[in-house]
Amino acid sequence: MVDSLDQTQAVERRYGAAAQQREACLCTPVGFDPRWLRVIPAAVVERDYGCGDPTRWVRSGDRVLDLGSGSGKNAFICAQVVGAEGAVIGVDRNAEMLQLSRSAAAEVSAAIGYANVQFKDGAIEALDAPDASGSPLVADASIDVVLSNCVLNLVNPEARGRLLANIRRVLAPAGRVAISDIVSDQPVPVHLQRDPELWSGCISGAWQQDDFLKAFQQLGFEQVRYDDRSAEPWQELEGIKFYAVTLVGQLPGGPSGCC
């Protein structure tokens, strides 16, 4: 049995500290289009941690849900892409990261000329949990695209069924996913999953690469594939190779061409 409490505490401690001072070894370096970064405060950009650029699959007018929004960089990029007619919700449970993203929201809004981003406090696997009004944290069929950047691997395996069900629940017909994450070429053994440092470092919680694709196919997504996949392993541990990928897919119910 994997100790979910130890994992959660390790993630909270590590990302809380990383909100205050940049940690170079969290996930992998990623290049983003610099035109979207100009209006985002340097502290937000410097304390962003990920392994891909899922924002490239966002369109004008989209309603975006960013799971594990962290410092807010991906959400602020999406805010510019979707425009004033779109909307962006970031969900994160780390208080330090939420403080960083929320404190930057007014500056970004002033720079782009509209306010279309909000950051909610919550666990990404518990989007169905009630908010202060008693409604789900994120409403049914209210989102056009769910994205995430190196966060799904931090969710305890016992909660991943709920996580996936909630991703499906919040998406509107023809909704899309763009999930950047770390996958492994073979299952990660339990003794590695129990290491809090490896878990919080986006390593030992990695989904096995074939299982990750199948999980979204079983939810009803079509055209599920790795649109981005690192040519070389990001890490190798006990003969297990870990790769950075971006999984994309689309639900039925509208025109095809998710990617």
Side-chain angles (χ1 to χ4, degrees):
M1 181 71 68
V2 180
D3 192 328
S4 60
L5 180 59
D6 284 350
Q7 290 172 343
T8 299
Q9 290 175 341
V11 171
E12 289 295 302
R13 285 194 302 267
R14 192 163 186 175
Y15 281 83
Q20 307 299 324
Q21 182 174 353
R22 177 162 180 80
E23 181 180 341
C25 61
L26 276 176
C27 292
T28 65
V30 180
F32 286 79
D33 189 330
R35 63 180 163 152
W36 304 124
L37 304 181
R38 296 187 186 111
V39 302
I40 303 176
V44 168
V45 176
E46 291 167 359
R47 291 166 177 80
D48 173 69
Y49 306 100
C51 57
D53 181 7
T55 68
R56 294 192 291 114
W57 284 267
V58 175
R59 303 169 181 164
S60 177
D62 273 343
R63 298 166 295 174
V64 179
L65 175 62
D66 181 12
L67 298 179
S69 49
S71 72
K73 187 179 86 171
N74 288 266
F76 291 135
I77 291 172
C78 292
Q80 299 170 75
V81 175
V82 303
E85 300 302 314
V88 183
I89 298 172
V91 174
D92 206 288
R93 67 185 301 168
N94 186 276
E96 289 84 357
M97 284 294 187
L98 283 169
Q99 181 179 8
L100 179 58
S101 60
R102 287 170 171 172
S103 66
E107 182 177 342
V108 174
S109 296
I112 64 178
Y114 51 86
N116 64 353
V117 182
Q118 59 178 311
F119 294 99
K120 297 189 175 187
D121 184 354
I124 64 170
E125 65 270 25
L127 302 175
D128 52 348
D131 60 17
S133 69
S135 301
L137 188 67
V138 180
D140 295 5
S142 62
I143 300 297
D144 297 308
V145 57
V146 172
L147 60 84
S148 183
N149 201 343
C150 211
V151 177
L152 267 60
N153 68 80
L154 298 174
V155 175
N156 187 271
E158 294 179 357
R160 289 179 179 177
R162 185 181 183 187
L163 168 68
L164 293 167
N166 269 305
I167 290 173
R168 179 66 179 84
R169 177 186 63 81
V170 302
L171 280 168
R176 291 128 45 218
V177 289
I179 308 294
S180 295
D181 222 294
I182 301 297
V183 298
S184 60
D185 67 346
Q186 53 188 296
V188 178
V190 171
H191 76 272
L192 293 180
Q193 294 182 41
R194 286 179 172 150
D195 186 319
E197 190 73 11
L198 291 176
W199 190 277
S200 63
C202 304
I203 298 174
S204 61
W207 302 58
Q208 198 277 334
Q209 57 191 358
D210 294 334
D211 291 344
F212 201 38
L213 292 169
K214 289 176 183 175
F216 284 87
Q217 291 167 343
Q218 290 170 355
L219 286 176
F221 286 91
E222 301 173 343
Q223 306 175 61
V224 178
R225 69 178 189 274
Y226 292 135
D227 199 79
D228 279 345
R229 186 178 188 275
S230 58
E232 299 296 327
W234 168 57
Q235 299 272 3
E236 186 168 349
L237 185 64
E238 295 189 6
I240 305 169
K241 296 178 180 179
F242 298 86
Y243 295 87
V245 301
T246 298
L247 177 151
V248 297
Q250 178 175 334
L251 291 172
S256 61
C258 67
C259 322

